[in-house]
């Protein structure tokens, strides 16, 4: 999966580092699944940045038009095509020297081609980035994470449970690490455990995953 978000940031009070800023941005995303093209998306959003004491506030909203392709592995994927709209606040602040907190609450609405793939969701996540300095080396960042998401679908899935509209709640915990390599380039990795329960048994799951890749900050 590859996702790019980019846009300029404008200050309402140039020269004031604590002043209100606004950032319009574009989003482009794509993914392959089982070595076949799976999904592409294009859209955009708007985020504000403000400070209140030592807390940074970053509310945002975005809309992405997603397009899915069928494959032998996922023959009904096109039903997921549609518009995904997300809105919510983000906040962050310091806890102690080298330790900070970040949190996000989001509401999302997916209007897909298939009613049983459309949903409303609420999510909340917290991160605790912790800078650890090694002798003579740039600091690593260790990031414990925790979160929860609930999904309420619009209609029963006729292929799974034709008389029950699915409701899913997922709890997750994880541990991330960012290792600086060169200038703005770093290597990031995340170990995450997810546990979801649903009124439709086929949608309940437990999952342990490891993901890693390069990070470029600018």
């Amino acid at each position: 999966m590859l996702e790019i978000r980019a846009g300029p940031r404008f200050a309402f009070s140039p020269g004031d580092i604590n002043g209100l800023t606004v950032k319009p941005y574009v989003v482009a995303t794509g993914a392959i699944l089982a070595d076949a093209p799976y999904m592409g998306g294009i859209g955009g959003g708007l985020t504000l940045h403000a400070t209140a004491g030592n807390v940074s506030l970053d509310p945002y909203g975005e809309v992405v038009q997603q397009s899915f392709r069928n494959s032998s592995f996922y023959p009904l994927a096109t039903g997921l095509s549609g518009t995904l709209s997300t809105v919510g606040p983000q906040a962050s602040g310091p806890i102690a020297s080298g330790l900070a907190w970040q949190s996000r609450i989001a509401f999302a609405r997916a209007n897909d081609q298939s009613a049983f793939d459309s949903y409303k969701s609420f999510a909340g996540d917290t991160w605790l980035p912790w800078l650890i300095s090694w002798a003579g080396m740039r600091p690593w960042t260790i990031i414990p994470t925790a979160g929860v998401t609930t999904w309420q679908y619009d209609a029963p899935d006729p292929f799974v449970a034709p008389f029950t509209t699915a409701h899913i709640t997922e709890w997750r915990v994880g541990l991330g690490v960012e290792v600086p390599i060169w200038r703005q380039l770093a290597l990031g990795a995340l170990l995450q455990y997810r546990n979801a329960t649903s009124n439709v048994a086929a949608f309940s799951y437990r999952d342990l995953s490891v993901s890693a890749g390069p990070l470029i900050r600018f």
Side-chain angles (χ1 to χ4, degrees):
M1 180 176 180
L2 176 66
E3 183 171 273
I4 298 174
R5 295 166 177 263
R9 184 174 293 276
F10 302 100
F12 286 90
S13 301
D16 181 3
I17 62 174
N18 295 317
L20 181 66
T21 65
V22 59
K23 178 182 177 178
Y25 61 91
V26 296
V27 180
T29 183
I32 61 174
L33 180 65
D35 298 324
Y38 176 59
M39 182 270 286
I42 188 72
L46 185 72
T47 180
L48 300 176
H49 177 77
T51 58
N54 61 0
V55 176
S56 297
L57 303 172
D58 296 88
Y60 71 100
E62 69 177 46
V63 179
V64 177
Q65 181 65 40
Q66 299 178 319
S67 178
F68 289 79
R69 296 181 62 177
N70 292 336
S71 66
S72 57
F73 184 78
Y74 203 159
L76 301 176
T78 54
L80 296 166
S81 298
T83 302
L84 177 63
S85 304
T86 310
V87 63
Q90 300 181 113
S92 62
I95 297 176
S97 178
L99 180 64
W101 63 271
Q102 300 174 359
S103 64
R104 176 181 63 193
I105 300 172
F107 169 77
R109 172 61 178 162
N111 289 301
D112 297 338
Q113 288 185 6
S114 301
F116 57 85
D117 288 323
S118 301
Y119 62 83
K120 300 181 183 71
S121 73
F122 294 89
D125 289 277
T126 298
W127 301 265
L128 297 174
W130 180 25
L131 292 176
I132 299 179
S133 297
W134 304 91
M137 299 177 61
R138 295 170 61 189
W140 293 22
T141 306
I142 307 298
I143 313 170
T145 71
V148 60
T149 302
T150 64
W151 293 270
Q152 179 64 57
Y153 286 83
D154 287 3
D157 187 331
F159 303 101
V160 179
F163 304 108
T164 304
T165 300
H167 178 269
I168 305 170
T169 299
E170 177 192 272
W171 296 88
R172 54 189 172 270
V173 293
L175 183 64
V177 61
E178 293 184 10
V179 180
I181 298 176
W182 180 70
R183 294 187 177 181
Q184 277 66 51
L185 179 63
L187 176 65
L190 175 64
L191 173 68
Q192 187 175 65
Y193 174 73
R194 302 184 300 159
N195 188 325
T197 58
S198 174
N199 58 337
V200 177
F203 297 145
S204 297
Y205 56 84
R206 296 184 181 92
D207 178 69
L208 180 65
S209 63
V210 178
S211 58
L215 301 172
I216 300 176
R217 301 188 182 280
F218 58 92

